[in-house]
Amino acid sequence: MSRLWNVAVVGATGAVGTQMIECLEERNFPVGTIKFLASGRSAGQVLEFAGKPVQVEELRHDSFEGIDIALFSAGGARSEEFCPSAAKAGAVCIDNSSAWRMDPDVPLVVPEVNPHAIAGYKKKGIIANPNCSTIQMVVALKPLHDFAAIRRIVVSTYQAVSGTGKKAIDELRIQTGELLNGRPSKNEVYPHRIAFNCLPQIDAFCDNGYTKEEMKMANETAKIMEAAIKTTATCVRVPVFYGHSESVNIETAQKITAAKARELLRGAPGVELVDDPISGDYPMAINAAGEDLTLVGRIREDDSIDNGLNLWIVADNIRKGAATNAVQIAEILIAKYLK
Ligand code: NAP
């Protein structure tokens, strides 16, 4: 029998953590023991793994003895504080927060794009999972970059509330109900009402006028693609529960026609081409939700520049944008690197 691995899910009660548990089960990850960690507020709560009850424990520095792989999704502050303790105890951390993504000693990995980078985990014992909006964009753009060398990306996102976590999912649900019943609504998670509205702000603003989310898309894309691609992003929160959509314009060094782009994307790893607009077939969040593939469509040549292409890219932010990507990394880690 092949080896089993002891896994800790940090942030097990959250939107990503819950999906992480489902992904481990769905993909039959060879789990020996499993540990669910969260804040003291959730300690004692009982969740299930593979049909068996598992009690949630409070995250502590000594939580990682005997753990082989620690999947972190409990926010940047927890990752910053506890990944080093987990790594010191011998676990390889796969971190969903932004805490370690731009650390030169931490690989930032999307398995369809740069699986070879996983080898760099040994330096700190940490592998970073990119931002959800970046993951789906690079999955779709990698085959086009390999063919035509992308120089510049202009992206506008339409991001679901689940990207902010479980409290934001509740906020949209409750606000929508209140407003439809003619009652006043409150906002606690977002700075303004999200129901029946769009917010051109995701995360805090930086000195340059961009938000941190927008800067993550720019910086992480260049690191994952291992190329000096310039990205300018506008990130918008929309009243959708699951599934981020993106309008993406690329400028390439070589000409790439819409037909060639479709040919390259048809069957590309992790991609589903959905591009028959005349029949009403294009990627939508409602079709991406619950799926692992990145849907790509509305492919058009951009006649306003020499080598330009427009695409519409959609994926489930909690699955491919977080949990699935992390479990895929873990699968490569145990197949190729851990003994
Ligand atoms: P969430 O639904 O709010 O869940 C947060 C999780 O972190 C919960 O399990 C929570 O436990 C735990 N936690 C909070 N404070 C803690 C503490 N002091 N000690 C231990 N655990 C603590 O948020 P989420 O959407 O799952 O996001 C979690 C992380 O993943 C964030 O870093 C986020 O940036 C990243 N991420 C999210 C997405 C997405 O699409 N949502 C995508 C990529 C990356 P309690 O239940 O006990 O509070």
Side-chain angles (χ1 to χ4, degrees):
M1 194 177 143
S2 59
R3 189 180 157 180
L4 300 177
W5 305 88
N6 299 336
V7 176
V9 179
V10 185
T13 51
V16 174
T18 306
Q19 187 62 61
M20 199 82 84
I21 295 165
E22 267 184 56
C23 280
L24 289 167
E25 289 174 331
E26 277 173 20
R27 297 174 76 94
N28 289 318
F29 191 85
V31 172
T33 64
I34 191 125
K35 196 175 231 191
F36 292 160
L37 301 165
S39 78
R41 296 179 291 276
S42 306
Q45 192 180 319
V46 177
L47 304 177
E48 265 197 13
F49 185 77
K52 296 200 178 103
V54 179
Q55 208 171 62
V56 177
E57 298 171 39
E58 183 173 2
L59 171 65
R60 292 156 40 127
H61 285 284
D62 62 1
S63 298
F64 300 95
E65 290 310 320
I67 295 294
D68 300 305
I69 297 171
L71 301 166
F72 273 79
S73 60
R78 263 68 62 196
S79 296
E80 213 170 319
E81 184 179 348
F82 291 94
C83 284
S85 312
K88 201 168 165 204
V92 179
C93 303
I94 302 176
D95 181 33
N96 273 274
S97 82
S98 57
W100 301 95
R101 288 180 191 152
M102 295 313 293
D103 186 317
D105 291 335
V106 171
L108 182 64
V109 178
V110 177
E112 292 85 347
V113 179
N114 62 339
H116 55 271
I118 291 175
Y121 82 90
K122 287 181 186 137
K123 288 187 189 151
K124 283 200 165 146
I126 304 170
I127 301 167
N129 220 40
N131 173 271
C132 42
S133 314
T134 309
I135 292 179
Q136 65 185 68
M137 187 171 79
V138 296
V139 165
L141 295 188
K142 172 71 168 147
L144 309 182
H145 178 64
D146 288 345
F147 178 81
I150 297 172
R151 291 201 163 142
R152 177 169 185 255
I153 301 170
V154 182
V155 51
S156 298
T157 68
Y158 305 66
Q159 297 182 222
V161 293
S162 53
T164 319
K166 60 188 175 184
K167 286 192 180 136
I169 298 171
D170 288 343
E171 181 147 307
L172 175 58
R173 186 175 49 77
I174 293 164
Q175 277 182 1
T176 305
E178 299 290 16
L179 291 161
L180 288 175
N181 282 291
R183 289 196 291 258
S185 68
K186 283 194 302 191
N187 48 284
E188 283 168 2
V189 176
Y190 295 116
H192 304 280
R193 198 180 88 199
I194 183 63
F196 308 103
N197 198 13
C198 297
L199 305 177
Q201 176 188 357
I202 297 186
D203 210 330
F205 283 98
C206 309
D207 290 344
N208 62 3
Y210 284 83
T211 61
K212 284 188 182 170
E213 183 86 350
E214 290 160 353
M215 294 313 297
K216 284 177 208 166
M217 288 197 80
N219 297 331
E220 293 178 21
T221 297
K223 180 167 176 178
I224 301 160
M225 300 278 261
E226 297 167 357
I229 297 171
K230 290 183 177 161
T231 300
T232 183
T234 302
C235 293
V236 182
R237 187 73 66 193
V238 297
V240 166
F241 285 102
Y242 295 97
H244 289 355
S245 304
E246 297 174 345
S247 164
V248 177
N249 176 273
I250 58 169
E251 194 171 346
T252 53
Q254 315 301 325
K255 174 77 185 163
I256 180 167
T257 63
K260 184 68 188 175
R262 283 188 205 102
E263 183 192 318
L264 291 167
L265 289 168
R266 198 172 284 117
V271 170
E272 183 180 347
L273 185 68
V274 185
D275 199 17
D276 187 4
I278 304 299
S279 313
D281 273 345
Y282 35 72
M284 291 184 288
I286 53 171
N287 300 128
E291 302 294 326
D292 286 328
L293 293 175
T294 295
L295 313 183
V296 188
R298 297 294 326 277
I299 300 174
R300 292 148 287 152
E301 285 157 41
D302 172 5
D303 296 332
S304 70
I305 49 173
D306 282 344
N307 297 329
L309 203 68
N310 287 306
L311 310 99
W312 179 251
I313 300 171
V314 183
D316 185 322
N317 51 296
I318 298 285
R319 291 183 69 100
K320 183 55 190 166
T324 305
N325 199 71
V327 175
Q328 284 176 308
I329 292 171
E331 288 168 351
I332 299 173
L333 194 65
I334 60 167
K336 287 192 72 171
Y337 298 100
L338 298 184
K339 296 269 177 308

